[in-house]
Amino acid sequence: MGEQYSSRAMTVLTARRLQRLAIFAICCILVTYFLLDRTDRVPHRGPWQTWGYVHSSFDWANRPRKHALPGSAMTHLPEGSPRELPRIQYEFANGELSEAHNKTQRERRDAVRSTAAKSWSSYREFAWGHDELLPQSLHGADRFSGWGATLVDSLDTLWIMGLKREFREAVRVASKIDWDSTQSQDCSMFETTIRYLGGLLSAYDLSEEDVLLKKAIELGDMLYASFDTPNNMPVNIFNFEKAKEGQLVANQRESLATVGTLSLEFTRLSQVTGDPKYFSIIDNIKLAFERTQDDTKLPGMWPTFVDLQNGFLTPDSSFTLGSSSDSAYEYLSKMYGLLGGLDQTYKKLHLKAMSTVKKHLLFRPMLPDTYPATPPDILFSGTVLSNGKIIDLLPEVQHLGCFAGGMFALGGKLFHEEEHVKIGEQLARGCAWMYDAFPTGLMPEVSEIIPCKTADLAPCDWDEARWKEEGPSQEADMKQPPKPFSAIRDQQYQLRPEAIESVFILYRITGKKDLLDIAWRMFQSIKKSTETKLAHSSITDVQLDGFTTKIDSMESFWIAETLKYFYLIFSEPQLISLDEYVFNTEAHPLRLPKPTEGHKL
Ligand SMILES: *[C@@H]1O[C@H](CO)[C@@H](O)[C@H](O)[C@H]1NC(C)=O
């Protein structure tokens, strides 16, 4: 009886157990099904409809134009097949990269990738679809019209890092962006071009996902309206309603960067669509640059602010490669590359500008004699004030200006100017040196350093008397900057990319392996001082080690640029080769036309 009972009990028990097991199994399957990102099942490539594409609510393409176009005819992309450009990247010999080297590279690359994945997943969780994640308060913030600046800016980084599931999830959202705004009256033409249009075009070039091109064209058509002004010069503050009516008027005081940083994006859009209108309208700006280059107060360069309303006037007196000017210079040689070497004007503009920069803006810092071996061979680029007769160098170093090393080196390769490659290296190493000069291992946003007064950028000895006179003022309540700095104008580090950008380009061009260790040191310092529990944040003061104060800001360029350059320098040199891609100023690689291809036109 006992036995019978127990065996019947066993049967019941087994049946129940089976039932439970079955329910459990079904639950498991369901949970897995819902937890696993279902965008995974979206085909890797697909027609744009499969992404849930939605057209913008305003049809910018068919907006009637108010003002006549410049000249009599549309300017087409230069004819002929692209030239064979000089090789940019260093050719690593067989066996030059050892197994140990490759292992270190892999480990460093993976560390960068996890940092990016962490920042991205927090953006996804707390700020999805917003422009930025506030990395401490963990909210979304919108500063760029709320179209999802971080989302679009990160697309190509996700692709390059092999975060394909994250990429597809972001493409789904990007394919519904409405290029119009209910949030704000206007957007910045410059920021929208470099972050959104550059981001979409680059992600399209890498993935060939058609929906990204569709959204890029819609956006390009919107930004094209910025040129519908009486003289066809663009307006940076893009007011949506005025743009729709063709009532925009170009500014009397516009920063040089905003007018000079549209060319790569607009040209690539013409190349991939076959529609010349985008190229035509920026080619008009090139002509203005060409017309005025020799007539400014510092011939060869253009001032930081130009008058776009009355043609293209250049009466201002401040000249720099830093804030508000920077990428206007960066784009000259890059345009030569993107046009396959078929437009000599860009070569001329670039070489003339660089020769003026070399003569008047570059300087060598006066360094203390504390270096055990030889002092570092470094240069910086400052700001010049000129009234046309007296030329004053302000030895101010901006983090934003650190891109100049890469610019000189790239142009040096493109135009066979070996000296420019060397200057590029001295500039790149200058910024890297400045990272090391502060206790956090990070460079401040703006500082000043006493220049040598030697000819031809030659080194000079430390001059204690000059230091006492020109060094930091001895006010008791002011924190003194470390020698040899004479002032720190802005102590912040804002997660900026320009220094690693130049170190990356110099590594790809020279193959010098010590640059990898420099890059790794920079990465570790950035990680240590900016990491929050779930992301990374700008900090208030690079002079405070240990407890850095965070600003609760993580701009979209952190993933788009800074982490991309770190990832690429620790990857094999063929990944996004400088012989196949040109980076826009937001680190978005655009594909260079191949000599055999010709343009689509
Ligand atoms: C290291 O990686 C490079 C490519 O990145 C490769 O060409 C080389 O063969 C690798 N070296 C070894 C020893 O595996």
Side-chain angles (χ1 to χ4, degrees):
M1 169 107 178
E3 235 185 10
Q4 244 181 28
Y5 175 81
S6 77
S7 85
R8 198 168 62 226
M10 284 282 278
T11 318
V12 172
L13 213 66
T14 317
R16 272 204 194 140
R17 204 179 264 172
L18 272 174
Q19 198 183 359
R20 272 195 213 145
L21 248 168
I23 291 170
F24 180 70
I26 290 167
C27 286
C28 279
I29 290 166
L30 283 175
V31 165
T32 321
Y33 179 80
F34 282 108
L35 274 190
L36 265 190
D37 201 315
R38 286 184 297 149
T39 52
D40 241 359
R41 296 179 303 124
V42 171
H44 152 54
R45 293 268 306 279
W48 47 270
Q49 298 92 334
T50 61
W51 294 98
Y53 167 81
V54 180
H55 194 288
S56 291
S57 53
F58 185 77
D59 184 9
W60 292 101
N62 293 310
R63 185 196 68 89
R65 208 184 155 81
K66 272 266 156 54
H67 303 94
L69 284 162
S72 51
M74 186 79 83
T75 313
H76 286 258
L77 288 162
E79 281 191 17
S81 37
R83 293 189 187 178
E84 191 82 58
L85 298 174
R87 189 186 163 96
I88 306 287
Q89 290 214 149
Y90 174 78
E91 241 167 309
F92 289 91
N94 258 351
E96 189 178 338
L97 303 175
S98 68
E99 184 47 44
H101 165 93
N102 287 2
K103 183 165 173 281
T104 310
Q105 283 283 88
R106 266 196 308 277
E107 285 165 6
R108 291 173 172 180
R109 188 197 63 192
D110 290 348
V112 176
R113 191 174 183 267
S114 4
T115 300
K118 172 177 166 175
S119 294
W120 176 258
S121 80
S122 298
Y123 167 74
R124 181 183 178 276
E125 186 170 352
F126 302 105
W128 191 233
H130 290 283
D131 288 339
E132 284 167 18
L133 166 73
L134 301 181
Q136 281 183 296
S137 44
L138 298 173
H139 283 110
D142 291 320
R143 296 201 297 147
F144 299 102
S145 309
W147 291 316
T150 296
L151 187 133
V152 177
D153 229 0
S154 303
L155 286 170
D156 55 358
T157 301
L158 296 172
W159 179 272
I160 289 168
M161 292 186 178
L163 298 165
K164 298 286 162 70
R165 181 166 61 85
E166 287 82 352
F167 173 82
R168 286 193 288 271
E169 196 178 23
V171 172
R172 279 202 160 267
V173 177
S175 61
K176 297 176 187 62
I177 296 175
D178 186 358
W179 304 119
D180 196 351
S181 185
T182 47
Q183 282 205 13
S184 46
Q185 291 183 337
D186 45 53
C187 70
S188 154
M189 168 79 179
F190 168 77
E191 299 288 359
T192 307
T193 301
I194 65 169
R195 300 192 199 217
Y196 288 108
L197 185 57
L200 288 169
L201 284 170
S202 174
Y204 169 70
D205 267 347
L206 295 173
S207 71
E208 298 182 351
E209 207 51 88
D210 285 341
V211 73
L212 295 169
L213 179 58
K214 258 187 118 49
K215 273 294 159 200
I217 295 170
E218 273 180 30
L219 177 57
D221 287 336
M222 178 189 108
L223 295 172
Y224 186 71
S226 166
F227 291 85
D228 191 3
T229 60
N231 60 0
N232 293 289
M233 283 292 153
V235 176
N236 189 46
I237 299 179
F238 185 94
N239 180 294
F240 296 99
E241 293 316 311
K242 284 186 184 168
K244 286 173 190 172
E245 305 295 325
Q247 285 171 0
L248 295 172
V249 177
N251 228 326
Q252 276 187 9
R253 196 174 147 78
E254 193 65 89
S255 82
L256 186 70
T258 65
V259 65
T261 318
L262 314 166
S263 50
L264 283 179
E265 295 81 357
F266 277 63
T267 299
R268 189 67 192 137
L269 191 54
S270 276
Q271 286 177 339
V272 293
T273 58
D275 184 341
K277 72 176 183 186
Y278 314 104
F279 173 75
S280 184
I281 206 78
I282 60 93
D283 201 57
N284 190 43
I285 296 176
K286 175 198 77 182
L287 298 177
F289 273 121
E290 189 184 21
R291 201 174 64 236
T292 52
Q293 184 164 30
D294 297 329
D295 300 333
T296 67
K297 288 183 175 157
L298 190 67
M301 293 184 75
W302 303 268
T304 309
F305 290 95
V306 288
D307 178 350
L308 295 184
Q309 199 175 94
N310 303 294
F312 194 101
L313 301 181
T314 55
D316 264 45
S317 50
S318 165
F319 298 82
T320 176
L321 294 180
S323 177
S324 299
S325 286
D326 42 19
S327 38
Y329 294 100
E330 177 189 348
Y331 273 25
L332 299 175
S333 59
K334 290 183 170 182
M335 273 299 287
Y336 179 85
L338 186 62
L339 291 173
L342 292 173
D343 188 339
Q344 298 301 310
T345 309
Y346 281 110
K347 174 178 178 178
K348 195 179 76 186
L349 295 174
H350 170 82
L351 289 176
K352 263 195 199 176
M354 292 309 107
S355 136
T356 301
V357 169
K358 190 186 149 211
K359 192 157 170 218
H360 296 293
L361 271 74
L362 299 189
F363 68 93
R364 187 181 288 271
M366 181 175 87
L367 298 172
D369 346 280
T370 46
Y371 291 93
T374 44
D377 181 15
I378 55 177
L379 297 178
F380 293 102
S381 173
T383 294
V384 156
L385 296 176
S386 169
N387 61 7
K389 295 188 189 80
I390 303 166
I391 295 173
D392 258 344
L393 173 69
L394 180 66
E396 173 191 84
V397 181
Q398 302 180 19
H399 194 293
L400 279 169
C402 284
F403 80 96
M407 170 178 68
F408 261 98
L410 204 61
K413 278 286 167 190
L414 267 180
F415 306 125
H416 302 288
E417 294 274 345
E418 269 312 306
E419 197 207 357
H420 287 192
V421 178
K422 178 154 183 262
I423 290 174
E425 185 173 345
Q426 292 166 315
L427 287 167
R429 288 186 187 273
C431 288
W433 169 86
M434 211 180 258
Y435 270 64
D436 280 338
F438 289 88
T440 45
L442 298 176
M443 174 179 170
E445 181 77 357
V446 185
S447 58
E448 276 178 36
I449 187 162
I450 300 172
C452 285
K453 281 180 173 163
T454 45
D456 295 329
L457 299 169
C460 61
D461 289 332
W462 179 258
D463 181 343
E464 191 68 23
R466 246 189 106 193
W467 165 254
K468 290 231 165 72
E469 198 182 319
E470 296 172 41
S473 51
Q474 300 294 318
E475 286 162 50
D477 57 337
M478 269 180 59
K479 192 166 52 179
Q480 297 300 310
K483 248 183 192 175
F485 293 89
S486 48
I488 311 295
R489 299 271 171 238
D490 184 344
Q491 303 97 323
Q492 295 187 6
Y493 172 68
Q494 304 184 357
L495 302 173
R496 285 201 191 283
E498 295 79 15
I500 183 58
E501 168 183 344
S502 284
V503 171
F504 159 73
I505 291 174
L506 261 299
Y507 173 66
R508 288 290 183 87
I509 284 179
T510 66
K512 292 187 181 172
K513 297 197 189 62
D514 71 311
L515 293 169
L516 297 173
D517 296 325
I518 289 175
W520 180 239
R521 210 157 61 232
M522 287 164 70
F523 176 74
Q524 286 174 300
S525 302
I526 293 174
K527 187 160 154 52
K528 177 167 172 258
S529 288
T530 67
E531 190 159 22
T532 61
K533 203 165 144 224
L534 294 167
H536 284 260
S537 170
S538 296
I539 61 168
T540 55
D541 191 346
V542 299
Q543 298 198 74
L544 295 174
D545 198 10
F547 284 99
T548 54
T549 319
K550 313 281 193 301
I551 307 176
D552 202 14
S553 160
M554 183 178 93
E555 282 226 41
S556 68
F557 52 67
W558 165 241
I559 299 178
E561 301 191 64
T562 312
L563 291 174
K564 184 188 287 141
Y565 285 128
F566 275 117
Y567 185 83
L568 287 176
I569 198 173
F570 300 131
S571 297
E572 65 267 31
Q574 284 321 307
L575 184 63
I576 315 289
S577 161
L578 298 178
D579 290 298
E580 290 166 24
Y581 292 91
V582 61
F583 287 86
N584 90 335
T585 195
E586 190 76 0
H588 295 305
L590 305 172
R591 213 158 66 80
L592 293 169
K594 290 199 183 86
T596 48
E597 273 177 1
H599 293 305
K600 273 194 183 171
L601 296 182

